[in-house]
Coordinates of all heavy atoms in Angstrom, one line a residue:
M173 N 133.3 66.6 95.0 CA 133.7 65.2 95.0 C 132.7 64.3 94.3 O 131.4 64.5 94.7 CB 134.0 64.8 96.5 CG 134.4 63.4 96.5 SD 134.6 62.7 98.1 CE 136.3 63.3 98.4
R174 N 133.1 63.4 93.5 CA 132.1 62.4 93.1 C 132.5 61.1 93.5 O 133.7 60.7 93.6 CB 132.3 62.5 91.4 CG 131.3 61.6 90.8 CD 131.5 61.6 89.2 NE 132.5 60.6 89.1 CZ 133.2 60.5 87.9 NH1 132.9 61.3 86.9 NH2 134.2 59.6 87.8
A175 N 131.5 60.3 93.9 CA 131.7 59.0 94.4 C 131.0 57.9 93.4 O 129.9 58.2 93.0 CB 131.2 58.8 95.8
T176 N 131.6 56.8 93.4 CA 131.0 55.7 92.5 C 131.2 54.4 93.3 O 132.3 54.2 93.8 CB 131.8 55.6 91.2 OG1 131.7 56.8 90.4 CG2 131.2 54.5 90.3
A177 N 130.1 53.8 93.4 CA 130.2 52.5 94.1 C 130.1 51.4 93.1 O 129.3 51.3 92.2 CB 129.1 52.3 95.1
L178 N 131.0 50.5 93.3 CA 131.0 49.2 92.3 C 131.1 48.0 93.2 O 132.0 47.9 94.0 CB 132.3 49.3 91.4 CG 132.3 50.5 90.4 CD1 133.6 50.6 89.8 CD2 131.1 50.5 89.4
P179 N 130.0 47.1 93.1 CA 130.1 45.9 93.8 C 131.1 45.0 93.4 O 131.3 44.8 92.2 CB 128.6 45.4 93.6 CG 128.1 45.9 92.4 CD 128.8 47.2 92.2
A180 N 131.7 44.2 94.3 CA 132.6 43.2 93.9 C 132.6 42.2 95.1 O 132.6 42.5 96.3 CB 134.0 43.7 93.7
D181 N 132.8 40.9 94.8 CA 132.9 39.9 95.8 C 134.3 39.7 96.1 O 135.1 38.9 95.4 CB 132.2 38.5 95.3 CG 132.2 37.4 96.3 OD1 132.8 37.6 97.4 OD2 131.5 36.4 96.1
L182 N 134.8 40.3 97.2 CA 136.2 40.2 97.6 C 136.7 38.9 98.1 O 137.8 38.7 98.3 CB 136.6 41.3 98.5 CG 136.3 42.8 98.0 CD1 136.7 43.8 99.0 CD2 137.0 43.0 96.7
A183 N 135.8 38.0 98.3 CA 136.1 36.6 98.7 C 136.6 35.9 97.6 O 137.3 34.8 97.7 CB 134.8 35.9 99.3
L184 N 136.4 36.4 96.3 CA 136.9 35.7 95.1 C 138.4 36.2 94.9 O 138.8 37.3 95.1 CB 136.1 36.1 93.8 CG 134.7 35.7 94.0 CD1 133.9 36.1 92.7 CD2 134.5 34.1 94.0
A185 N 139.3 35.2 94.6 CA 140.7 35.4 94.5 C 141.2 36.6 93.5 O 141.9 37.4 93.8 CB 141.4 34.1 94.0
D186 N 140.5 36.8 92.4 CA 140.9 37.8 91.5 C 140.0 39.0 91.5 O 140.0 39.9 90.5 CB 141.0 37.2 90.1 CG 142.4 36.8 89.7 OD1 143.3 37.0 90.5 OD2 142.6 36.1 88.6
A187 N 139.2 39.2 92.4 CA 138.2 40.2 92.5 C 138.8 41.7 92.4 O 138.5 42.4 91.7 CB 137.3 40.1 93.7
A188 N 139.8 41.9 93.1 CA 140.4 43.2 93.2 C 141.1 43.5 91.8 O 140.9 44.6 91.2 CB 141.5 43.3 94.3
R189 N 141.7 42.6 91.2 CA 142.4 42.8 89.9 C 141.3 43.1 88.9 O 141.5 43.8 88.0 CB 143.2 41.5 89.6 CG 144.3 41.7 88.6 CD 145.2 40.6 88.4 NE 145.1 39.5 89.4 CZ 146.1 38.9 89.9 NH1 147.3 39.3 89.8 NH2 145.9 38.1 90.9
A190 N 140.2 42.2 88.8 CA 139.2 42.4 88.0 C 138.5 43.8 88.1 O 138.2 44.5 86.9 CB 138.1 41.3 88.1
L191 N 138.3 44.2 89.3 CA 137.8 45.5 89.5 C 138.7 46.6 89.0 O 138.2 47.6 88.4 CB 137.5 45.7 91.0 CG 136.8 47.0 91.5 CD1 135.4 47.1 90.8 CD2 136.6 47.0 92.9
A192 N 140.0 46.5 89.2 CA 140.9 47.5 88.8 C 140.9 47.6 87.2 O 140.9 48.6 86.7 CB 142.3 47.2 89.3
A193 N 140.9 46.4 86.5 CA 140.7 46.3 85.1 C 139.5 47.0 84.6 O 139.5 47.7 83.5 CB 140.8 44.9 84.6
A194 N 138.4 46.7 85.3 CA 137.1 47.3 84.9 C 137.2 48.9 84.9 O 136.7 49.5 84.0 CB 136.0 46.7 85.7
L195 N 137.8 49.3 86.1 CA 137.9 50.8 86.2 C 138.9 51.4 85.1 O 138.5 52.5 84.7 CB 138.4 51.1 87.6 CG 137.3 50.9 88.7 CD1 138.0 51.0 90.0 CD2 136.2 51.8 88.5
Q196 N 139.8 50.6 84.8 CA 140.7 51.2 83.9 C 140.1 51.3 82.3 O 140.3 52.2 81.7 CB 142.1 50.2 83.7 CG 143.1 50.8 82.9 CD 144.4 50.0 83.0 OE1 144.3 48.7 83.2 NE2 145.5 50.5 82.9
R197 N 139.3 50.2 82.1 CA 138.5 50.2 80.9 C 137.6 51.5 80.9 O 137.3 52.0 79.7 CB 137.7 49.0 80.6 CG 138.6 47.8 80.2 CD 137.7 46.6 79.8 NE 136.8 46.1 80.8 CZ 137.1 45.2 81.7 NH1 138.3 44.8 81.9 NH2 136.2 44.9 82.6
K198 N 137.0 51.9 82.0 CA 136.1 52.9 82.0 C 136.8 54.4 82.2 O 136.2 55.4 82.3 CB 135.2 52.8 83.1 CG 134.2 51.6 83.0 CD 133.2 51.5 84.2 CE 132.3 50.4 84.0 NZ 131.2 50.4 84.7
R199 N 138.1 54.1 82.2 CA 139.0 55.3 82.3 C 138.7 56.1 83.7 O 138.6 57.3 83.8 CB 138.9 56.4 81.2 CG 139.4 55.8 79.9 CD 139.3 56.7 78.8 NE 139.7 56.0 77.5 CZ 140.8 56.0 76.8 NH1 141.8 56.5 77.5 NH2 140.9 55.3 75.8
M200 N 138.5 55.3 84.7 CA 138.2 55.8 86.0 C 139.4 55.4 87.0 O 140.0 54.3 86.9 CB 136.9 55.2 86.6 CG 135.8 55.6 85.8 SD 134.2 54.7 86.4 CE 133.8 55.6 88.0
A201 N 139.6 56.3 87.9 CA 140.8 56.1 88.9 C 140.2 56.2 90.3 O 139.1 56.8 90.6 CB 141.9 57.2 88.7
V202 N 140.8 55.5 91.2 CA 140.5 55.6 92.7 C 141.4 56.5 93.4 O 142.6 56.4 93.3 CB 140.6 54.1 93.2 CG1 140.4 54.1 94.7 CG2 139.6 53.2 92.6
D203 N 140.7 57.6 94.0 CA 141.5 58.4 94.8 C 141.4 58.1 96.2 O 142.4 58.4 97.0 CB 141.0 60.0 94.6 CG 141.4 60.4 93.2 OD1 142.4 60.1 92.6 OD2 140.6 61.2 92.7
V204 N 140.3 57.7 96.7 CA 140.1 57.2 98.1 C 139.5 55.8 98.1 O 138.4 55.6 97.5 CB 139.1 58.2 98.8 CG1 139.0 57.7 100.3 CG2 139.7 59.6 99.0
L205 N 140.1 54.9 98.8 CA 139.6 53.6 98.8 C 139.1 53.3 100.2 O 139.8 53.4 101.3 CB 140.8 52.6 98.6 CG 140.5 51.1 98.6 CD1 139.4 50.7 97.6 CD2 141.8 50.3 98.6
V206 N 137.7 53.1 100.3 CA 137.1 52.8 101.5 C 136.9 51.3 101.7 O 136.1 50.7 100.9 CB 135.8 53.6 101.7 CG1 135.1 53.2 102.9 CG2 136.1 55.0 101.5
N207 N 137.5 50.6 102.6 CA 137.2 49.2 102.8 C 136.0 49.1 103.7 O 136.0 49.5 104.9 CB 138.4 48.7 103.6 CG 138.2 47.1 103.9 OD1 137.6 46.6 103.2 ND2 138.6 46.8 105.0
N208 N 134.9 48.5 103.2 CA 133.8 48.2 104.0 C 133.3 46.8 103.8 O 132.2 46.5 103.8 CB 132.7 49.2 103.7 CG 131.5 49.2 104.7 OD1 131.8 48.8 105.9 ND2 130.3 49.5 104.3
A209 N 134.3 46.0 103.5 CA 134.0 44.5 103.3 C 134.0 43.8 104.6 O 134.7 44.2 105.6 CB 135.1 43.9 102.4
G210 N 133.2 42.8 104.7 CA 133.1 42.0 105.9 C 131.8 41.2 105.9 O 130.9 41.5 105.2
M211 N 131.9 40.2 106.6 CA 130.6 39.3 106.8 C 130.4 39.1 108.4 O 131.3 38.7 109.0 CB 131.0 38.0 106.2 CG 131.1 38.0 104.7 SD 129.6 38.4 103.9 CE 128.6 37.0 104.3
P212 N 129.2 39.5 108.8 CA 128.9 39.2 110.1 C 128.7 37.8 110.4 O 128.3 37.0 109.5 CB 127.6 40.0 110.4 CG 127.0 40.0 109.0 CD 128.1 40.1 108.0
E213 N 129.1 37.3 111.4 CA 129.0 35.9 111.8 C 128.2 35.7 113.1 O 128.5 36.5 114.1 CB 130.4 35.2 111.9 CG 130.3 33.7 111.9 CD 129.8 33.1 110.6 OE1 130.1 33.6 109.5 OE2 129.0 32.2 110.9
Q214 N 127.3 34.9 113.2 CA 126.4 34.8 114.4 C 126.8 33.4 115.1 O 127.2 32.5 114.5 CB 124.9 34.7 114.0 CG 124.5 35.9 113.2 CD 123.7 36.9 114.0 OE1 123.0 36.5 115.0 NE2 123.7 38.1 113.5
G215 N 126.8 33.5 116.3 CA 127.0 32.3 117.1 C 128.4 32.2 117.8 O 129.2 33.2 117.5
A216 N 128.6 31.2 118.5 CA 129.8 31.0 119.2 C 131.0 30.7 118.3 O 130.9 29.9 117.4 CB 129.8 30.0 120.3
F217 N 132.1 31.3 118.6 CA 133.4 31.0 117.7 C 133.7 29.6 117.7 O 134.0 29.0 116.7 CB 134.5 31.8 118.3 CG 135.8 31.6 117.6 CD1 136.2 32.3 116.5 CD2 136.8 30.7 118.1 CE1 137.3 32.2 115.9 CE2 138.0 30.5 117.5 CZ 138.2 31.2 116.2
V218 N 133.6 28.9 118.9 CA 133.8 27.4 118.9 C 132.9 26.6 118.2 O 133.2 25.5 117.9 CB 134.1 27.0 120.4 CG1 135.2 27.7 121.1 CG2 132.8 27.2 121.2
A219 N 131.7 27.1 117.9 CA 130.7 26.3 117.2 C 130.9 26.5 115.7 O 130.4 25.7 114.9 CB 129.4 26.8 117.5
M220 N 131.8 27.4 115.2 CA 132.0 27.6 113.8 C 133.1 26.6 113.3 O 134.2 26.4 114.0 CB 132.6 29.1 113.5 CG 131.5 30.1 113.7 SD 132.0 31.8 113.3 CE 133.6 31.8 112.7
P221 N 132.9 26.1 112.2 CA 133.9 25.2 111.6 C 135.2 26.0 111.2 O 135.1 27.1 110.8 CB 133.2 24.6 110.3 CG 132.1 25.4 110.0 CD 131.7 26.1 111.2
G222 N 136.3 25.3 111.2 CA 137.5 25.9 110.9 C 137.6 26.5 109.5 O 138.2 27.6 109.2
R223 N 136.9 25.8 108.6 CA 136.8 26.4 107.2 C 136.2 27.8 107.2 O 136.6 28.6 106.4 CB 136.1 25.4 106.4 CG 135.9 25.9 105.0 CD 135.0 25.0 104.1 NE 134.8 25.6 102.8 CZ 134.7 25.0 101.7 NH1 134.8 23.7 101.6 NH2 134.4 25.8 100.7
R224 N 135.1 27.9 108.1 CA 134.4 29.3 108.0 C 135.4 30.4 108.6 O 135.5 31.4 108.2 CB 133.2 29.2 108.9 CG 132.5 30.5 108.9 CD 132.0 30.9 107.5 NE 131.3 32.1 107.5 CZ 131.3 33.0 106.5 NH1 131.9 32.8 105.4 NH2 130.6 34.2 106.6
H225 N 136.2 30.0 109.6 CA 137.3 31.0 110.1 C 138.1 31.5 108.9 O 138.5 32.6 108.8 CB 138.1 30.3 111.2 CG 137.3 30.0 112.4 ND1 137.8 29.0 113.3 CD2 136.2 30.4 112.9 CE1 137.0 28.9 114.3 NE2 136.0 29.6 114.1
Q226 N 138.5 30.4 108.2 CA 139.5 30.7 107.1 C 138.8 31.6 106.0 O 139.5 32.4 105.5 CB 140.0 29.4 106.4 CG 141.0 28.7 107.4 CD 142.2 29.6 107.8 OE1 142.8 30.3 106.9 NE2 142.5 29.6 109.1
Q227 N 137.5 31.4 105.7 CA 136.9 32.2 104.8 C 136.7 33.6 105.2 O 136.9 34.6 104.5 CB 135.4 31.6 104.6 CG 135.4 30.4 103.9 CD 134.0 29.7 103.8 OE1 133.2 29.9 104.7 NE2 133.6 29.0 102.7
L228 N 136.5 33.8 106.5 CA 136.3 35.1 107.0 C 137.7 35.8 107.1 O 137.9 37.1 106.6 CB 135.9 35.1 108.6 CG 134.4 34.7 108.6 CD1 134.0 34.4 110.0 CD2 133.5 35.7 107.9
V229 N 138.9 35.1 107.4 CA 140.2 35.6 107.3 C 140.5 36.1 105.8 O 141.1 37.1 105.6 CB 141.3 34.7 107.9 CG1 142.6 35.2 107.6 CG2 140.9 34.6 109.4
H230 N 140.2 35.2 105.0 CA 140.5 35.5 103.6 C 139.8 36.7 103.1 O 140.4 37.6 102.4 CB 140.1 34.3 102.7 CG 140.3 34.5 101.2 ND1 141.5 34.6 100.6 CD2 139.4 34.8 100.2 CE1 141.4 34.8 99.3 NE2 140.1 35.0 99.1
L231 N 138.5 36.9 103.5 CA 137.8 38.1 103.0 C 138.4 39.4 103.7 O 138.6 40.3 103.0 CB 136.3 38.0 103.3 CG 135.4 39.1 103.1 CD1 135.4 39.6 101.6 CD2 134.0 38.9 103.6
N232 N 138.5 39.3 105.0 CA 138.7 40.5 105.8 C 140.2 40.9 105.7 O 140.6 42.0 106.0 CB 138.4 40.2 107.2 CG 136.8 40.2 107.4 OD1 136.1 40.9 106.6 ND2 136.4 39.4 108.2
V233 N 141.2 40.0 105.4 CA 142.6 40.2 105.3 C 143.1 40.2 103.9 O 143.7 41.2 103.4 CB 143.4 39.4 106.2 CG1 144.9 39.6 106.2 CG2 143.0 39.5 107.7
S234 N 142.9 39.0 103.2 CA 143.4 39.0 101.9 C 142.7 39.9 100.8 O 143.3 40.4 100.1 CB 143.4 37.4 101.5 OG 144.1 36.6 102.3
G235 N 141.4 40.0 101.1 CA 140.6 40.8 100.1 C 141.1 42.3 100.3 O 141.2 43.0 99.4
L236 N 141.2 42.7 101.6 CA 141.6 44.1 101.9 C 143.1 44.3 101.2 O 143.3 45.4 100.6 CB 141.6 44.4 103.3 CG 142.3 45.7 103.7 CD1 141.6 46.9 103.0 CD2 142.3 45.9 105.2
T237 N 143.9 43.4 101.5 CA 145.3 43.5 101.0 C 145.4 43.6 99.5 O 146.1 44.4 98.9 CB 146.2 42.3 101.6 OG1 146.1 42.3 102.9 CG2 147.7 42.4 101.1
A238 N 144.6 42.8 98.8 CA 144.5 42.8 97.4 C 144.0 44.1 96.9 O 144.5 44.7 95.8 CB 143.7 41.6 96.7
M239 N 143.0 44.7 97.5 CA 142.4 46.0 97.1 C 143.5 47.1 97.3 O 143.8 47.9 96.4 CB 141.2 46.3 97.9 CG 140.0 45.4 97.6 SD 139.4 45.8 95.9 CE 138.5 47.3 96.2
L240 N 144.2 47.0 98.4 CA 145.3 48.0 98.6 C 146.4 48.0 97.6 O 146.8 48.9 97.0 CB 145.9 47.8 100.1 CG 144.9 48.2 101.2 CD1 145.5 47.8 102.6 CD2 144.6 49.7 101.2
A241 N 146.8 46.7 97.3 CA 147.8 46.5 96.2 C 147.4 46.9 94.9 O 148.2 47.4 94.1 CB 148.2 45.1 96.3
S242 N 146.1 46.8 94.6 CA 145.6 47.1 93.2 C 145.4 48.7 93.1 O 145.6 49.1 92.0 CB 144.3 46.4 92.9 OG 144.5 45.0 92.8
F243 N 145.0 49.4 94.2 CA 144.6 50.7 94.0 C 145.5 51.7 94.6 O 145.4 52.9 94.1 CB 143.1 50.8 94.6 CG 142.1 50.2 93.6 CD1 141.5 49.0 94.2 CD2 141.8 50.6 92.4 CE1 140.7 48.2 93.4 CE2 141.0 49.8 91.6 CZ 140.4 48.7 92.1
V244 N 146.2 51.5 95.7 CA 146.9 52.6 96.3 C 148.1 53.0 95.6 O 148.3 54.2 95.4 CB 147.2 52.1 97.8 CG1 148.2 53.2 98.4 CG2 145.9 52.1 98.7
P245 N 149.0 52.0 95.0 CA 150.2 52.4 94.3 C 149.9 53.4 93.2 O 150.5 54.5 93.0 CB 150.8 51.1 93.9 CG 150.4 50.2 95.0 CD 149.0 50.5 95.3
P246 N 148.9 53.1 92.3 CA 148.7 54.0 91.3 C 148.2 55.4 91.7 O 148.5 56.4 91.2 CB 147.5 53.4 90.3 CG 147.5 52.0 90.7 CD 148.0 51.8 92.1
G247 N 147.3 55.4 92.7 CA 146.9 56.7 93.3 C 148.1 57.4 93.9 O 148.1 58.7 93.8
V248 N 149.0 56.8 94.6 CA 150.2 57.4 95.2 C 151.0 58.1 94.1 O 151.4 59.2 94.1 CB 151.0 56.5 96.0 CG1 152.3 57.1 96.4 CG2 150.2 56.1 97.3
E249 N 151.1 57.4 92.9 CA 151.8 57.9 91.8 C 151.1 59.2 91.2 O 151.8 60.1 90.7 CB 151.9 56.9 90.7 CG 152.9 55.7 90.9 CD 152.9 54.7 89.9 OE1 152.3 54.9 88.7 OE2 153.4 53.6 90.0
R250 N 149.8 59.2 91.3 CA 149.2 60.4 90.8 C 149.1 61.5 92.0 O 148.6 62.6 91.7 CB 147.6 60.1 90.6 CG 147.4 59.3 89.3 CD 145.9 59.2 88.9 NE 145.0 59.0 89.9 CZ 144.7 57.8 90.5 NH1 145.3 56.7 90.2 NH2 143.8 57.7 91.5
G251 N 149.5 61.2 93.1 CA 149.6 62.1 94.2 C 148.1 62.3 94.8 O 147.8 63.3 95.3
R252 N 147.2 61.3 94.7 CA 145.8 61.5 95.1 C 145.3 60.4 96.0 O 144.1 60.6 96.3 CB 145.0 61.7 93.8 CG 145.5 62.8 92.9 CD 144.5 63.5 92.2 NE 143.2 63.6 92.9 CZ 142.3 64.4 92.6 NH1 142.6 65.3 91.8 NH2 141.1 64.4 93.1
A253 N 145.9 59.3 96.2 CA 145.3 58.2 96.8 C 145.5 58.3 98.4 O 146.5 58.6 98.9 CB 145.7 56.9 96.3
G254 N 144.5 57.8 99.1 CA 144.6 57.4 100.4 C 143.6 56.4 100.9 O 142.4 56.5 100.6
P255 N 144.0 55.3 101.6 CA 143.1 54.3 102.0 C 142.3 54.9 103.3 O 143.0 55.7 104.0 CB 144.0 53.2 102.3 CG 145.3 53.7 102.7 CD 145.5 55.0 101.8
S256 N 141.1 54.3 103.4 CA 140.3 54.6 104.5 C 139.7 53.3 105.1 O 139.3 52.6 104.1 CB 139.3 55.7 104.2 OG 138.4 55.9 105.3
G257 N 139.6 53.2 106.3 CA 139.0 52.0 106.8 C 137.6 52.2 107.3 O 137.3 53.3 108.0
A258 N 136.7 51.3 107.1 CA 135.3 51.4 107.8 C 135.1 49.9 108.3 O 135.6 49.0 107.8 CB 134.3 51.8 106.8
S259 N 134.3 49.9 109.3 CA 134.1 48.5 109.9 C 132.6 48.6 110.3 O 132.0 49.6 110.7 CB 135.0 48.3 111.1 OG 134.6 47.0 111.6
A260 N 132.0 47.4 110.1 CA 130.6 47.3 110.6 C 130.4 45.9 111.2 O 131.0 44.9 110.9 CB 129.6 47.3 109.4
A261 N 129.6 46.0 112.3 CA 129.4 44.7 113.0 C 127.8 44.6 113.1 O 127.1 45.6 113.3 CB 130.0 44.8 114.5
C262 N 127.3 43.4 112.7 CA 125.8 43.2 112.7 C 125.5 42.3 113.8 O 126.2 41.4 114.1 CB 125.5 42.7 111.4 SG 125.7 43.9 110.1

């Protein structure tokens, strides 16, 4: 098995689509998608501004959903894809 790590800021709206396009240009395909995106947040929830809550939801939910939408369907068509989840807390 060969693994390639490519950094991307999934908090950006078009990050998943741009990553998929970059891989296509390199003639690379994703067989296993490992989600390890996330941002640790320190302090009390009630002390965080609402905007920060929304940023975290966007990254952890919308970013993941965009990655799944960009990479899982083509992999399923090839009979090779499977999403995997990973989580980290700091």
Side-chain angles (χ1 to χ4, degrees):
M173 174 184 279
R174 188 183 79 191
T176 302
L178 297 172
D181 184 352
L182 298 181
L184 300 176
D186 264 355
R189 202 176 346 230
L191 186 56
L195 289 171
Q196 189 173 33
R197 283 191 302 274
K198 293 180 181 207
R199 299 182 190 264
M200 296 174 75
V202 173
D203 292 331
V204 177
L205 177 63
V206 177
N207 173 45
N208 195 27
M211 293 291 296
E213 194 62 44
Q214 305 255 335
F217 179 83
V218 296
M220 288 178 11
R223 178 180 168 149
R224 183 63 182 147
H225 296 159
Q226 290 304 311
Q227 289 171 330
L228 293 170
V229 168
H230 176 71
L231 173 61
N232 293 320
V233 177
S234 300
L236 169 61
T237 302
M239 291 291 284
L240 291 170
S242 292
F243 293 107
V244 172
V248 169
E249 287 177 14
R250 289 190 321 277
R252 304 218 21 165
S256 175
S259 179
C262 299

